[in-house]
Amino acid sequence: LAEAPALLQRRSRLQSAGPLADAAGGHCCSPFAEWPSVDGSVVCQDCEALVLTGPFGGRCDRYCESFGHVCVAAAEEVDEDCLVKFTVACDAEIKDTSDMLCRCHKPTHECQ
């Protein structure tokens, strides 16, 4: 009998990167509490949150720029969550929705 492949899981530990380190992604972005227009307090990992489209024309680049960050990913979510339905370019408008997933980083070399 052939053995099924084993799945290995490694445990990792988040390390503090100074005063801005938190669930938002450490030194790559500001704490989520400082992010504007987060929809229903839905925040994800890696500096990504579900945010309102209205004030930003449905574009994540405009959203991220509104608080001094740059967009590194943009998407439509499945159902008010962090699951990606489809991705778009940061400067593309996500139409026919009230919210979008935006991943924003500080404009520094270490996080791009």
Side-chain angles (χ1 to χ4, degrees):
L1 290 173
E3 289 186 34
L7 296 176
L8 301 177
Q9 182 176 10
R10 282 203 314 198
R11 185 178 296 195
S12 65
R13 180 180 301 191
L14 293 176
Q15 296 189 2
S16 174
L20 294 179
D22 71 354
H27 63 279
C28 289
C29 59
S30 296
F32 285 124
E34 297 176 12
W35 289 40
S37 303
V38 174
D39 187 14
S41 300
V42 177
V43 295
C44 313
Q45 296 178 341
D46 300 324
C47 300
E48 186 172 67
L50 184 65
V51 302
L52 300 174
T53 57
F56 311 99
R59 291 176 42 175
C60 283
D61 61 340
R62 291 180 182 164
Y63 172 77
C64 296
E65 289 168 4
S66 76
F67 65 109
H69 284 51
V70 294
C71 177
V72 294
E76 170 63 278
E77 93 291 349
V78 174
D79 186 25
E80 304 299 313
D81 53 25
C82 295
L83 299 175
V84 173
K85 187 174 188 178
F86 61 85
T87 61
V88 298
C90 284
D91 62 353
E93 180 183 357
I94 301 177
K95 298 181 180 184
D96 302 320
T97 185
S98 62
D99 49 28
M100 58 193 170
L101 285 172
C102 295
R103 181 172 298 158
C104 305
H105 283 180
K106 291 178 183 176
T108 59
H109 299 295
E110 64 211 37
C111 297
Q112 300 302 311

XYZ file of all heavy atoms in Angstrom:
829
model
N 0.825 -1.191 0.000
C 0.000 0.000 0.000
C 0.863 1.246 0.000
O 1.824 1.346 0.746
C -0.892 0.025 1.244
C -2.008 -0.995 1.314
C -2.657 -0.936 2.673
C -3.014 -0.744 0.239
N 0.490 2.178 -0.800
C 1.222 3.447 -0.835
C 0.744 4.332 0.311
O -0.440 4.376 0.621
C 0.983 4.153 -2.168
N 1.677 4.998 0.922
C 1.318 5.887 2.026
C 0.870 7.245 1.485
O 1.416 7.731 0.499
C 2.512 6.095 2.953
C 2.836 4.868 3.764
C 3.924 5.154 4.775
O 3.971 6.282 5.282
O 4.721 4.245 5.033
N -0.122 7.815 2.131
C -0.581 9.153 1.760
C 0.481 10.157 2.168
O 1.181 9.968 3.161
C -1.897 9.470 2.459
N 0.642 11.220 1.399
C 1.632 12.230 1.764
C 1.268 12.869 3.105
O 0.102 13.077 3.409
C 1.566 13.255 0.633
C 0.324 12.961 -0.117
C -0.078 11.549 0.199
N 2.267 13.124 3.873
C 2.058 13.754 5.186
C 2.060 15.264 5.030
O 2.843 15.821 4.273
C 3.161 13.336 6.146
N 1.151 15.902 5.719
C 1.106 17.360 5.723
C 1.861 17.845 6.947
O 1.575 17.427 8.067
C -0.333 17.867 5.761
C -1.178 17.507 4.553
C -2.605 17.986 4.758
C -0.603 18.123 3.303
N 2.819 18.696 6.730
C 3.607 19.232 7.827
C 3.197 20.657 8.099
O 2.961 21.434 7.180
C 5.098 19.183 7.487
C 5.664 17.799 7.190
C 7.122 17.910 6.800
C 5.510 16.896 8.390
N 3.105 20.993 9.342
C 2.749 22.351 9.722
C 3.832 22.885 10.635
O 4.195 22.242 11.605
C 1.401 22.373 10.441
C 0.949 23.749 10.809
C -0.437 23.703 11.437
O -0.958 22.669 11.756
N -1.015 24.868 11.612
N 4.349 24.056 10.302
C 5.347 24.674 11.150
C 4.713 25.771 11.956
O 3.892 26.529 11.458
C 6.480 25.285 10.309
C 7.422 24.255 9.823
C 8.759 24.776 9.504
N 8.795 25.981 8.723
C 9.861 26.386 8.077
N 10.946 25.679 8.109
N 9.852 27.493 7.404
N 5.080 25.835 13.175
C 4.568 26.876 14.048
C 5.455 28.094 13.893
O 6.666 28.002 13.894
C 4.605 26.385 15.492
C 3.981 27.342 16.461
C 4.013 26.754 17.825
N 3.196 25.548 17.837
C 2.788 24.951 18.919
N 3.132 25.393 20.098
N 2.050 23.879 18.863
N 4.832 29.238 13.719
C 5.609 30.471 13.626
C 5.145 31.420 14.710
O 4.053 31.309 15.229
C 5.448 31.114 12.249
O 4.120 31.525 12.064
N 5.990 32.343 15.021
C 5.688 33.309 16.068
C 5.858 34.711 15.496
O 6.866 35.020 14.880
C 6.644 33.120 17.239
C 6.394 34.076 18.371
C 7.361 33.841 19.474
N 7.211 32.456 19.927
C 7.770 31.986 21.012
N 8.513 32.754 21.758
N 7.605 30.737 21.369
N 4.828 35.530 15.676
C 4.936 36.921 15.258
C 5.883 37.638 16.196
O 5.823 37.452 17.403
C 3.569 37.607 15.290
C 2.556 37.110 14.284
C 1.224 37.815 14.499
C 3.031 37.341 12.875
N 6.741 38.448 15.644
C 7.663 39.192 16.475
C 7.360 40.667 16.339
O 7.072 41.152 15.256
C 9.097 38.911 16.053
C 9.453 37.464 16.272
C 10.930 37.229 16.070
O 11.673 38.145 15.802
N 11.343 35.990 16.216
N 7.434 41.343 17.426
C 7.156 42.774 17.438
C 8.209 43.526 16.647
O 9.387 43.251 16.737
C 7.140 43.282 18.884
O 6.997 44.677 18.887
N 7.749 44.475 15.862
C 8.665 45.300 15.092
C 8.596 46.734 15.595
O 8.710 47.676 14.830
C 8.309 45.228 13.610
N 8.370 46.912 16.845
C 8.331 48.256 17.412
C 6.932 48.680 17.753
O 6.002 47.871 17.771
N 6.724 49.971 17.995
C 5.447 50.459 18.481
C 4.297 50.309 17.501
O 3.148 50.310 17.898
C 5.722 51.935 18.788
C 6.931 52.280 18.007
C 7.725 51.017 17.887
N 4.562 50.158 16.218
C 3.474 50.024 15.254
C 3.145 48.569 14.957
O 2.268 48.289 14.157
C 3.825 50.752 13.949
C 3.938 52.264 14.071
C 4.303 52.865 12.732
C 2.649 52.866 14.585
N 3.844 47.640 15.575
C 3.574 46.225 15.316
C 2.240 45.832 15.950
O 1.996 46.078 17.106
C 4.689 45.369 15.879
N 1.360 45.253 15.153
C 0.094 44.732 15.651
C -0.465 43.778 14.618
O 0.211 43.383 13.703
C -0.893 45.858 15.972
C -1.453 46.556 14.747
O -0.991 46.253 13.627
O -2.353 47.378 14.897
N -1.718 43.422 14.736
C -2.328 42.476 13.815
C -2.376 42.986 12.382
O -2.590 42.231 11.464
C -3.740 42.140 14.286
N -2.164 44.277 12.178
C -2.205 44.828 10.832
C -1.020 44.382 9.995
O -1.080 44.405 8.791
C -2.255 46.355 10.878
N 0.066 43.979 10.584
C 1.191 43.512 9.788
C 2.506 44.103 10.209
O 3.400 44.269 9.394
N 2.640 44.441 11.461
C 3.929 44.916 11.958
C 4.333 46.238 11.357
O 3.550 47.173 11.302
N 5.555 46.299 10.886
C 6.115 47.554 10.406
C 5.665 47.943 9.004
O 5.980 49.023 8.541
C 7.640 47.467 10.460
C 8.191 46.402 9.572
N 8.212 45.078 9.949
C 8.712 46.453 8.328
C 8.748 44.365 8.965
N 9.048 45.167 7.982
N 4.938 47.099 8.309
C 4.543 47.391 6.929
C 3.341 48.325 6.816
O 3.126 48.918 5.773
C 4.251 46.098 6.180
S 5.747 45.145 5.838
N 2.556 48.450 7.881
C 1.395 49.335 7.819
C 1.027 49.817 9.216
O 1.454 49.252 10.216
C 0.212 48.635 7.168
S -0.323 47.127 7.988
N 0.237 50.858 9.242
C -0.246 51.404 10.509
C -1.235 50.444 11.155
O -1.848 49.623 10.472
C -0.944 52.743 10.271
O -0.029 53.689 9.770
N -1.442 50.552 12.468
C -2.437 49.712 13.136
C -3.822 49.925 12.517
O -4.165 51.028 12.095
C -2.405 50.215 14.587
C -1.064 50.840 14.742
C -0.738 51.430 13.403
N -4.624 48.868 12.478
C -5.953 48.958 11.872
C -6.813 50.049 12.504
O -7.685 50.618 11.843
C -6.677 47.618 11.952
C -6.186 46.592 10.971
C -5.744 45.363 11.410
C -6.183 46.850 9.608
C -5.302 44.403 10.497
C -5.745 45.909 8.697
C -5.293 44.680 9.144
N -6.597 50.359 13.744
C -7.376 51.410 14.413
C -7.203 52.757 13.719
O -8.055 53.631 13.837
C -6.974 51.516 15.879
N -6.115 52.917 12.976
C -5.847 54.166 12.265
C -6.341 54.140 10.814
O -6.235 55.134 10.109
C -4.346 54.460 12.293
C -3.817 54.676 13.697
C -2.309 54.876 13.742
O -1.674 55.073 12.675
O -1.755 54.835 14.854
N -6.866 53.012 10.360
C -7.361 52.903 8.989
C -8.762 53.506 8.909
O -9.634 53.165 9.700
C -7.405 51.444 8.553
C -6.065 50.799 8.325
C -4.936 50.961 9.073
C -5.730 49.876 7.303
N -3.929 50.187 8.569
C -4.384 49.512 7.485
C -6.448 49.308 6.258
C -3.736 48.608 6.641
C -5.801 48.406 5.424
C -4.456 48.074 5.608
N -9.018 54.368 7.917
C -10.353 54.961 7.778
C -11.334 54.024 7.059
O -10.922 53.136 6.320
C -10.075 56.205 6.907
C -8.903 55.796 6.061
C -8.053 54.913 6.953
N -12.607 54.238 7.295
C -13.687 53.604 6.524
C -13.624 52.083 6.449
O -13.962 51.493 5.423
C -13.733 54.190 5.107
O -13.899 55.578 5.150
N -13.216 51.417 7.529
C -13.237 49.954 7.561
C -14.692 49.520 7.737
O -15.406 50.025 8.594
C -12.343 49.405 8.694
C -12.485 47.893 8.811
C -10.884 49.782 8.451
N -15.141 48.583 6.901
C -16.531 48.147 6.892
C -16.767 47.055 7.941
O -16.193 45.970 7.855
C -16.895 47.624 5.502
C -18.362 47.308 5.364
O -19.162 47.722 6.221
O -18.732 46.631 4.376
N -17.597 47.348 8.927
C -17.974 46.360 9.918
C -16.824 45.802 10.732
O -16.896 44.677 11.191
N -15.756 46.549 10.866
C -14.575 46.119 11.616
C -13.940 44.849 11.056
O -13.278 44.106 11.784
C -14.914 45.916 13.095
O -15.382 47.118 13.650
N -14.138 44.575 9.756
C -13.552 43.380 9.143
C -12.118 43.696 8.727
O -11.873 44.461 7.788
C -14.366 42.907 7.916
C -13.699 41.714 7.250
C -15.789 42.564 8.332
N -11.179 43.123 9.473
C -9.759 43.269 9.150
C -9.168 41.886 8.924
O -9.599 40.903 9.518
C -8.997 44.025 10.255
C -9.491 45.459 10.354
C -9.131 43.343 11.600
N -8.202 41.813 8.057
C -7.613 40.542 7.662
C -6.138 40.536 8.051
O -5.685 41.411 8.780
C -7.774 40.364 6.150
S -9.447 40.739 5.548
N -5.391 39.585 7.543
C -3.962 39.530 7.803
C -3.210 40.313 6.744
O -3.768 40.718 5.726
C -3.484 38.084 7.800
C -4.086 37.250 8.907
C -3.622 35.811 8.843
O -3.143 35.346 7.832
N -3.774 35.114 9.949
N -1.933 40.509 6.985
C -1.027 41.105 5.994
C -1.473 42.478 5.515
O -1.486 42.754 4.323
C -0.851 40.173 4.795
C -0.275 38.835 5.195
O 0.565 38.803 6.109
O -0.663 37.817 4.591
N -1.896 43.321 6.449
C -2.233 44.710 6.117
C -3.395 44.822 5.140
O -3.384 45.629 4.209
C -1.011 45.445 5.561
S 0.393 45.521 6.691
N -4.422 44.025 5.325
C -5.582 44.021 4.441
C -6.856 44.171 5.259
O -6.984 43.581 6.333
C -5.622 42.717 3.646
C -6.703 42.672 2.588
C -6.564 41.438 1.720
O -6.770 40.327 2.249
O -6.236 41.583 0.533
N -7.807 44.959 4.735
C -9.078 45.170 5.425
C -10.196 45.346 4.411
O -9.965 45.703 3.257
C -8.991 46.398 6.325
N -11.416 45.087 4.867
C -12.609 45.323 4.066
C -13.016 46.773 4.300
O -13.275 47.175 5.433
C -13.732 44.376 4.495
C -15.017 44.430 3.678
C -14.762 43.968 2.244
C -16.082 43.568 4.332
N -13.039 47.557 3.247
C -13.279 48.996 3.384
C -14.407 49.457 2.464
O -14.726 48.801 1.480
C -11.984 49.801 3.096
C -10.872 49.371 4.038
C -11.540 49.656 1.657
N -15.002 50.590 2.799
C -16.090 51.147 2.008
C -15.578 51.697 0.682
O -14.537 52.349 0.633
C -16.791 52.249 2.796
C -17.410 51.807 4.123
C -17.956 53.009 4.880
C -18.496 50.759 3.896
N -16.322 51.463 -0.399
C -15.899 51.924 -1.714
C -16.274 53.375 -1.983
O -15.532 54.102 -2.635
C -16.536 51.073 -2.833
O -17.958 51.118 -2.686
C -16.059 49.640 -2.787
N -17.424 53.805 -1.466
C -17.998 55.103 -1.798
C -17.056 56.291 -1.761
O -16.908 56.999 -2.768
N -16.406 56.556 -0.637
C -15.563 57.750 -0.552
C -14.325 57.709 -1.445
O -13.655 58.722 -1.608
C -15.137 57.789 0.926
C -16.025 56.837 1.647
C -16.494 55.848 0.631
N -14.016 56.553 -2.027
C -12.765 56.391 -2.766
C -12.975 55.959 -4.213
O -12.038 55.501 -4.870
C -11.869 55.384 -2.022
C -11.757 55.711 -0.563
C -12.532 55.034 0.368
C -10.944 56.742 -0.120
C -12.474 55.360 1.715
C -10.883 57.072 1.215
C -11.646 56.394 2.135
N -14.202 56.097 -4.696
C -14.493 55.761 -6.086
C -14.276 54.294 -6.409
O -14.028 53.944 -7.563
N -14.371 53.424 -5.412
C -14.202 51.999 -5.657
C -12.782 51.577 -5.963
O -12.553 50.497 -6.492
N -11.802 52.424 -5.616
C -10.402 52.136 -5.948
C -9.540 52.047 -4.688
O -9.521 52.951 -3.860
C -9.848 53.227 -6.864
C -10.463 53.194 -8.238
C -10.007 54.297 -9.134
N -8.579 54.579 -9.046
C -7.973 55.451 -9.827
N -8.647 56.110 -10.750
N -6.683 55.680 -9.680
N -8.800 50.961 -4.585
C -7.938 50.766 -3.425
C -6.729 51.701 -3.422
O -6.242 52.062 -2.351
C -7.479 49.310 -3.340
S -8.750 48.179 -2.711
N -6.239 52.098 -4.597
C -5.104 53.031 -4.595
C -5.495 54.346 -3.924
O -4.746 54.886 -3.106
C -4.549 53.261 -6.001
C -5.546 53.859 -6.989
O -6.784 53.788 -6.764
O -5.088 54.410 -8.021
N -6.688 54.830 -4.217
C -7.162 56.071 -3.580
C -7.401 55.875 -2.089
O -7.127 56.760 -1.282
C -8.446 56.550 -4.255
C -8.229 57.037 -5.670
C -9.523 57.489 -6.298
N -9.314 57.912 -7.663
C -10.299 58.054 -8.534
N -11.552 57.823 -8.161
N -10.040 58.449 -9.763
N -7.933 54.713 -1.729
C -8.155 54.425 -0.310
C -6.831 54.451 0.454
O -6.700 55.140 1.459
C -8.839 53.065 -0.124
C -8.880 52.680 1.335
C -9.804 53.260 2.192
C -7.957 51.786 1.863
C -9.820 52.952 3.550
C -7.968 51.469 3.212
C -8.892 52.060 4.043
O -8.897 51.766 5.389
N -5.862 53.694 -0.004
C -4.576 53.605 0.703
C -3.886 54.966 0.773
O -3.330 55.334 1.815
C -3.670 52.583 0.025
S -4.299 50.881 0.071
N -3.938 55.727 -0.303
C -3.322 57.056 -0.325
C -3.979 57.998 0.677
O -3.335 58.917 1.171
C -3.414 57.651 -1.733
C -2.502 56.973 -2.738
C -2.812 57.361 -4.181
O -3.695 58.226 -4.415
O -2.178 56.786 -5.082
N -5.250 57.738 1.011
C -5.969 58.638 1.918
C -5.365 58.672 3.317
O -5.619 59.603 4.073
C -7.450 58.249 2.002
O -7.649 57.095 2.813
N -4.562 57.665 3.668
C -3.901 57.694 4.972
C -2.398 57.427 4.863
O -1.764 56.896 5.756
C -4.593 56.783 5.999
C -4.558 55.300 5.699
C -3.771 54.449 6.473
C -5.339 54.750 4.699
C -3.745 53.085 6.226
C -5.330 53.389 4.463
C -4.532 52.555 5.223
N -1.819 57.867 3.727
C -0.374 57.844 3.562
C 0.242 56.495 3.259
O 1.430 56.287 3.484
N -0.534 55.575 2.729
C -0.035 54.255 2.380
C -0.116 54.070 0.864
O -0.655 54.921 0.153
C -0.866 53.170 3.077
C -0.563 53.010 4.527
N -0.545 54.066 5.419
C -0.267 51.908 5.253
C -0.246 53.615 6.629
N -0.083 52.308 6.560
N 0.412 52.958 0.369
C 0.300 52.613 -1.046
C -0.413 51.272 -1.158
O -0.274 50.407 -0.302
C 1.677 52.544 -1.749
C 2.325 53.917 -1.807
C 2.596 51.546 -1.074
N -1.166 51.110 -2.219
C -1.910 49.874 -2.445
C -0.968 48.808 -2.992
O -0.184 49.071 -3.907
C -3.044 50.135 -3.439
S -3.981 48.650 -3.866
N -1.073 47.605 -2.444
C -0.309 46.477 -2.965
C -1.218 45.351 -3.455
O -0.760 44.447 -4.129
C 0.719 45.945 -1.938
C 1.785 46.983 -1.663
C 0.060 45.530 -0.646
N -2.524 45.424 -3.136
C -3.480 44.431 -3.642
C -4.899 44.957 -3.470
O -5.197 45.683 -2.526
C -3.325 43.105 -2.902
N -5.768 44.575 -4.406
C -7.172 44.987 -4.374
C -8.038 43.807 -4.800
O -7.656 43.047 -5.692
C -7.394 46.172 -5.311
N -9.201 43.671 -4.156
C -10.066 42.537 -4.471
C -11.502 42.798 -4.031
O -11.776 43.681 -3.220
C -9.550 41.275 -3.778
N -12.405 42.002 -4.566
C -13.786 41.938 -4.097
C -13.857 40.724 -3.181
O -13.275 39.674 -3.472
C -14.738 41.782 -5.278
C -16.179 41.476 -4.897
C -16.873 42.550 -4.100
O -16.670 42.587 -2.877
O -17.633 43.327 -4.687
N -14.556 40.866 -2.068
C -14.648 39.759 -1.113
C -15.873 38.902 -1.393
O -16.797 39.317 -2.093
C -14.658 40.290 0.323
C -16.016 40.522 0.936
C -16.803 41.677 0.335
O -16.251 42.471 -0.435
O -18.006 41.779 0.640
N -15.893 37.710 -0.827
C -16.982 36.766 -1.047
C -18.250 37.208 -0.323
O -19.299 37.376 -0.928
C -16.570 35.337 -0.604
C -17.755 34.381 -0.693
C -15.416 34.825 -1.460
N -18.174 37.400 1.003
C -19.380 37.699 1.772
C -19.037 38.427 3.065
O -19.072 37.814 4.143
C -20.137 36.394 2.070
C -21.476 36.642 2.754
O -22.056 37.731 2.591
O -21.938 35.724 3.471
N -18.682 39.698 2.946
C -18.356 40.506 4.127
C -17.263 39.853 4.973
O -17.320 39.843 6.196
C -19.604 40.763 4.988
C -20.751 41.420 4.255
C -20.407 42.796 3.704
O -19.832 43.620 4.439
O -20.706 43.055 2.524
N -16.259 39.308 4.295
C -15.192 38.587 4.975
C -13.855 38.837 4.271
O -13.751 39.727 3.435
C -15.513 37.089 5.013
C -15.837 36.513 3.638
O -15.384 37.072 2.612
O -16.549 35.498 3.579
N -12.869 38.043 4.589
C -11.534 38.198 4.004
C -11.270 37.234 2.857
O -10.158 37.164 2.342
C -10.469 38.007 5.100
S -10.527 39.278 6.379
N -12.285 36.497 2.432
C -12.124 35.571 1.312
C -12.253 36.327 -0.006
O -13.190 37.099 -0.197
C -13.167 34.461 1.384
C -13.106 33.590 2.637
C -14.267 32.602 2.650
C -11.782 32.863 2.722
N -11.322 36.086 -0.911
C -11.263 36.820 -2.177
C -12.157 36.171 -3.226
O -12.029 34.979 -3.518
C -9.806 36.895 -2.691
C -9.749 37.507 -4.071
C -8.949 37.681 -1.709
N -13.053 36.979 -3.788
C -13.912 36.536 -4.885
C -13.175 36.713 -6.211
O -13.148 35.821 -7.050
C -15.210 37.343 -4.872
C -16.259 36.893 -5.837
C -17.537 37.694 -5.614
C -18.691 37.173 -6.414
N -19.917 37.946 -6.130
N -12.582 37.900 -6.402
C -11.723 38.159 -7.559
C -10.814 39.337 -7.236
O -11.119 40.151 -6.371
C -12.531 38.420 -8.842
C -13.436 39.620 -8.790
C -12.961 40.905 -9.082
C -14.777 39.476 -8.492
C -13.805 42.008 -9.045
C -15.632 40.569 -8.454
C -15.144 41.842 -8.731
N -9.693 39.394 -7.926
C -8.729 40.480 -7.725
C -8.769 41.441 -8.908
O -9.193 41.075 -10.011
C -7.293 39.946 -7.560
O -6.922 39.243 -8.750
C -7.179 39.027 -6.355
N -8.338 42.655 -8.657
C -8.223 43.684 -9.694
C -6.935 44.457 -9.447
O -6.331 44.346 -8.378
C -9.431 44.654 -9.695
C -10.728 43.928 -9.987
C -9.533 45.411 -8.394
N -6.564 45.269 -10.417
C -5.422 46.158 -10.229
C -5.786 47.222 -9.199
O -6.957 47.583 -9.056
C -5.046 46.816 -11.556
N -4.802 47.726 -8.491
C -5.051 48.723 -7.450
C -5.755 49.971 -7.978
O -6.541 50.590 -7.268
C -3.739 49.129 -6.779
S -3.124 47.895 -5.618
N -5.492 50.331 -9.239
C -6.086 51.548 -9.794
C -7.372 51.276 -10.579
O -7.908 52.160 -11.242
C -5.074 52.301 -10.658
C -4.607 51.503 -11.864
O -4.950 50.306 -11.989
O -3.884 52.086 -12.696
N -7.885 50.050 -10.489
C -9.132 49.708 -11.173
C -10.305 49.900 -10.214
O -10.209 49.607 -9.027
C -9.090 48.256 -11.644
N -11.409 50.381 -10.758
C -12.610 50.573 -9.956
C -13.328 49.235 -9.765
O -13.541 48.494 -10.729
C -13.558 51.557 -10.631
C -14.832 51.796 -9.853
C -15.805 52.714 -10.574
O -15.482 53.227 -11.661
O -16.917 52.900 -10.044
N -13.668 48.929 -8.531
C -14.484 47.754 -8.245
C -15.924 48.252 -8.209
O -16.314 48.984 -7.303
C -14.073 47.085 -6.918
C -12.607 46.656 -6.985
C -14.975 45.892 -6.627
C -12.074 46.058 -5.702
N -16.708 47.877 -9.208
C -18.061 48.409 -9.383
C -19.118 47.525 -8.734
O -18.887 46.362 -8.453
C -18.368 48.544 -10.876
C -17.457 49.512 -11.597
C -17.824 49.616 -13.057
C -16.878 50.589 -13.745
N -17.242 50.808 -15.130
N -20.274 48.122 -8.543
C -21.471 47.405 -8.076
C -21.285 46.716 -6.731
O -21.783 45.614 -6.512
C -21.933 46.386 -9.133
C -22.226 47.047 -10.469
O -22.795 48.155 -10.469
O -21.863 46.466 -11.514
N -20.557 47.365 -5.836
C -20.380 46.828 -4.488
C -20.169 47.995 -3.527
O -19.724 49.072 -3.930
C -19.190 45.850 -4.411
O -19.136 45.274 -3.107
C -17.869 46.526 -4.728
N -20.479 47.781 -2.277
C -20.320 48.839 -1.285
C -18.995 48.751 -0.542
O -18.630 49.654 0.197
C -21.462 48.789 -0.265
O -21.419 47.551 0.438
N -18.274 47.634 -0.749
C -16.998 47.481 -0.054
C -16.004 46.697 -0.902
O -16.357 46.093 -1.909
C -17.199 46.812 1.309
C -18.041 45.549 1.237
O -18.054 44.871 0.180
O -18.704 45.225 2.217
N -14.742 46.733 -0.489
C -13.665 46.081 -1.229
C -12.560 45.708 -0.252
O -12.437 46.294 0.822
C -13.127 47.019 -2.310
C -12.602 48.342 -1.775
S -12.328 49.559 -3.086
C -12.018 51.032 -2.095
N -11.765 44.729 -0.619
C -10.598 44.351 0.175
C -9.390 45.112 -0.351
O -9.054 45.012 -1.538
C -10.323 42.852 0.061
C -11.247 41.921 0.823
C -10.956 40.463 0.436
C -11.089 42.107 2.314
N -8.763 45.874 0.525
C -7.566 46.608 0.133
C -6.400 46.199 1.022
O -6.543 46.130 2.244
C -7.773 48.111 0.265
S -9.009 48.793 -0.862
N -5.262 45.940 0.397
C -4.025 45.688 1.138
C -3.143 46.912 0.942
O -2.797 47.268 -0.174
C -3.326 44.439 0.638
C -2.047 44.143 1.420
C -1.448 42.807 1.070
N -2.399 41.763 1.424
C -2.392 40.544 0.880
N -1.490 40.214 -0.012
N -3.302 39.664 1.248
N -2.807 47.556 2.055
C -2.059 48.807 2.018
C -0.771 48.687 2.835
O -0.786 48.152 3.943
C -2.898 49.936 2.617
S -4.533 50.162 1.874
N 0.309 49.202 2.281
C 1.597 49.244 2.981
C 2.081 50.677 3.089
O 1.715 51.522 2.269
C 2.655 48.445 2.223
C 2.527 46.969 2.382
N 3.386 46.093 1.773
C 1.651 46.201 3.076
C 3.044 44.848 2.092
N 1.987 44.897 2.869
N 2.922 50.921 4.066
C 3.616 52.198 4.139
C 4.538 52.275 2.924
O 5.030 51.255 2.449
C 4.437 52.280 5.419
C 3.600 52.361 6.672
C 4.512 52.401 7.868
C 3.716 52.397 9.147
N 4.593 52.332 10.330
N 4.797 53.465 2.420
C 5.653 53.590 1.233
C 7.133 53.471 1.584
O 7.897 54.427 1.457
C 5.297 54.984 0.714
C 4.864 55.733 1.908
C 4.207 54.729 2.829
N 7.551 52.284 2.009
C 8.949 52.042 2.342
C 9.468 50.869 1.523
O 8.685 50.020 1.090
C 9.130 51.722 3.841
O 8.358 50.578 4.159
C 8.691 52.894 4.725
N 10.749 50.807 1.344
C 11.339 49.744 0.530
C 11.198 48.367 1.164
O 11.047 47.382 0.471
C 12.820 50.037 0.271
C 13.048 51.296 -0.475
N 12.625 51.471 -1.775
C 13.630 52.457 -0.122
C 12.936 52.683 -2.186
N 13.559 53.304 -1.194
N 11.225 48.284 2.475
C 11.232 46.984 3.137
C 9.931 46.215 3.009
O 9.897 45.009 3.245
C 11.576 47.146 4.608
C 10.538 47.957 5.373
C 11.136 48.727 6.513
O 12.243 49.233 6.383
O 10.460 48.841 7.543
N 8.854 46.843 2.607
C 7.552 46.178 2.568
C 7.005 46.037 1.158
O 5.926 45.470 0.987
C 6.550 46.930 3.435
S 7.001 46.950 5.156
N 7.645 46.547 0.169
C 7.099 46.516 -1.183
C 7.382 45.215 -1.887
O 8.335 44.581 -1.734
C 7.619 47.681 -2.006
C 7.244 49.009 -1.415
C 5.745 49.202 -1.249
O 5.004 48.969 -2.177
N 5.299 49.587 -0.084
